[in-house]
Amino acid sequence: METTIQNGYAEKIGEQELIGTKGKVWYLPHHGVLHPQKGKLRVVYDCSAQYHGASLNHKLLKGPDLTNSLFGVLTRFRLGEVAIMADIEAMFSQVLVPWVDRDFLRLLWWKDGDFQQPLIEYRMCVHVFGAISSPSCANYALQRTADEHVKSSCRDVAEIIHRNFYVDDCLYSTDSVEKAIETAEERTKTCQKGGFHLIKWNSNKREVLEQIPAEERVKVVKDLNFEEGGMPTERALGMLWHTEDDAFGFKIQMKERPPTRRGILSTVCALFDPIGCASPVTLQAKQLLQTLCRLGLGWDEPIPSELLRKWQTWQRELPHLSEFKMPRCLMPGPFRAAKSITLHHFADASEKGYGTVSYIRTVNDQGEVKCSFLMSKARVAPLKQISIPRMELTAAT
């Protein structure tokens, strides 16, 4: 909170303004949320908190969804051999709220964080984490920055800002180290013109990271000696990215959860898999959940012994998923200048479930062929019985 005030993200309200305009004042509860992996405390403003049946989020317009699709950003990240990743520092806090609206973002805090002191009234000057309008406003400001400075910067950079950001995370790939360094510099300059500071840079190429100031790199590579040892592992939009092998994988951390519908669902949902690499694995657990649902078991009831054995077997095998690695780059080296690129989709269904998988097939000038996994999806069969041909059509769709 002290950092928020010192950075000018929140301002103290003068005595003559304390009363405010009737119907134009709102106070936000706020609390800290600790990120378990990063160990970072983030202040979340509860814009859904109600008073007399109303909340700020209920009155706010959400605005258009300007966020790129997660799958789209990840797929574009897989196109080139040289991958580079960055993050906007405190993105929402770089976009100002108009003066007339700031009294809707009032809050209470103590001087110097001393709980023994009287409470002081502040108001946020920037968009807050917790308001439904903040993502749309912040994304618009970022895209507007790219549009306004497209003439003074590389047109490719404007397209990168428009298509390769997922909220505050930028994932980009290209064919050469030189191009990656050039676009990184141009991107930094362009974003800076809009007040957006790019930090936490990471790449699968040492030559790119060497051109980034150490304090601007992601934490795991800040003090990395590039001449000794391998490159570290980092997350790219929630997916584990082994930069040394340039491959995606999974980090499985088994937590003790009760063998109930609630515990099983919690374990399955903890496996983040936006591309569908682990669809054959998660489908088995989803089928088990559906069986429990058919039996009419409550969320916290113990499950039958036969199903419990199946669940325990699945749990024992799940850590083996940590050994799985999938190449990030879809078309490496000799396949960049391809004479043929085709997408191949396979779909099927059974009484238990249905699914689809897509591959990209590339043929180069020498006639060499490479097939790369693109994505897959798997679903359990609906509880209401339908014909297998209809499910096959659903899978294809």
Side-chain angles (χ1 to χ4, degrees), residues 302-313:
I303 65 177
S305 56
E306 184 181 345
L307 296 178
L308 177 61
R309 284 194 295 272
K310 287 184 179 180
W311 172 241
Q312 290 172 339
T313 301

Side-chain angles (χ1 to χ4, degrees), residues 94-378:
Q94 310 313 314
V95 186
L96 292 171
V97 173
W99 286 97
V100 294
D101 297 328
R102 292 183 183 178
D103 278 334
F104 290 109
L105 301 175
R106 288 195 181 191
L107 55 94
L108 303 173
W109 191 245
W110 297 271
K111 183 180 179 181
D112 302 324
D114 184 357
F115 302 160
Q116 306 303 319
Q117 297 287 331
L119 281 165
I120 299 174
E121 293 197 21
Y122 294 90
R123 61 186 168 203
M124 296 299 295
C125 306
V126 298
H127 290 273
V128 298
F129 193 86
I132 61 169
S133 58
S134 294
S136 185
C137 292
N139 278 317
Y140 174 77
L142 179 63
Q143 294 178 13
R144 180 71 177 266
T145 298
D147 293 337
E148 287 183 351
H149 301 286
V150 67
K151 293 180 181 178
S152 60
S153 63
C154 175
R155 185 168 292 276
D156 289 348
V157 170
E159 187 177 353
I160 290 169
I161 293 174
H162 272 284
R163 302 190 71 218
N164 290 70
F165 269 92
Y166 185 78
V167 191
D168 59 347
D169 292 302
C170 181
L171 282 75
Y172 172 68
S173 65
T174 186
D175 296 332
S176 69
V177 169
E178 294 75 19
K179 181 73 173 175
I181 294 171
E182 179 190 347
T183 55
E185 292 174 353
E186 288 293 330
R187 219 178 322 157
T188 301
K189 291 176 186 176
T190 302
C191 289
Q192 196 65 54
K193 290 173 182 175
F196 298 107
H197 180 209
L198 289 174
I199 56 170
K200 298 180 182 178
W201 290 87
N202 197 9
S203 176
N204 62 328
K205 299 293 182 183
R206 291 171 171 80
E207 301 92 323
V208 175
L209 285 172
E210 286 172 346
Q211 300 302 313
I212 307 292
E215 63 275 10
E216 303 290 323
R217 300 174 196 158
V218 71
K219 187 177 179 180
V220 292
V221 296
K222 276 185 179 179
D223 304 316
L224 190 67
N225 186 338
F226 295 108
E227 296 179 1
E228 299 178 7
M231 300 279 281
T233 297
E234 183 62 16
R235 290 196 176 274
L237 289 185
M239 290 201 68
L240 205 64
W241 180 29
H242 303 279
T243 50
E244 181 69 25
D245 305 324
D246 197 17
F248 288 140
F250 294 96
K251 184 178 181 180
I252 305 299
Q253 292 180 320
M254 298 297 293
K255 294 184 178 179
E256 285 294 327
R257 293 187 174 96
T260 61
R261 275 181 67 192
R262 192 186 305 277
I264 293 172
L265 181 63
S266 179
T267 302
V268 175
C269 290
L271 185 61
F272 186 67
D273 183 28
I275 295 178
C277 306
S279 290
V281 177
T282 55
L283 183 62
Q284 296 175 39
K286 290 175 183 177
Q287 288 169 343
L288 178 59
L289 277 169
Q290 190 183 59
T291 302
L292 295 174
C293 185
R294 277 202 180 99
L295 293 173
L297 290 179
W299 283 105
D300 299 303
E301 286 185 53
I303 65 177
S305 56
E306 184 181 345
L307 296 178
L308 177 61
R309 284 194 295 272
K310 287 184 179 180
W311 172 241
Q312 290 172 339
T313 301
W314 188 87
Q315 278 188 304
R316 284 196 300 271
E317 293 175 352
L318 187 62
H320 291 302
L321 202 56
S322 299
E323 301 166 20
F324 168 84
K325 285 186 180 180
M326 180 189 72
R328 177 198 59 83
C329 187
L330 293 170
M331 296 179 289
F335 295 95
R336 290 305 300 164
K339 68 176 184 179
S340 170
I341 301 175
T342 51
L343 283 171
H344 295 258
H345 311 283
F346 302 88
D348 204 356
S350 73
E351 293 176 351
K352 294 184 177 180
Y354 59 96
T356 182
V357 59
S358 297
Y359 294 88
I360 185 167
R361 183 180 185 271
T362 312
V363 184
N364 64 12
D365 293 334
Q366 285 74 44
E368 297 173 319
V369 177
K370 178 173 179 58
C371 292
S372 300
F373 171 85
L374 192 62
M375 73 173 300
S376 79
K377 285 186 177 181

Side-chain angles (χ1 to χ4, degrees), residues 51-98:
Y51 176 71
H52 286 188
S55 70
L56 183 62
N57 273 347
H58 180 69
K59 299 294 183 181
L60 280 172
L61 288 174
K62 185 178 181 180
D65 184 5
L66 301 177
T67 305
N68 290 309
S69 76
L70 180 65
F71 174 71
V73 173
L74 277 172
T75 302
R76 288 187 279 279
F77 184 57
R78 299 181 65 195
L79 293 178
E81 279 195 279
V82 183
I84 191 166
M85 190 169 65
D87 184 87
I88 296 176
E89 184 179 21
M91 181 179 181
F92 290 0
S93 299
Q94 310 313 314
V95 186
L96 292 171
V97 173

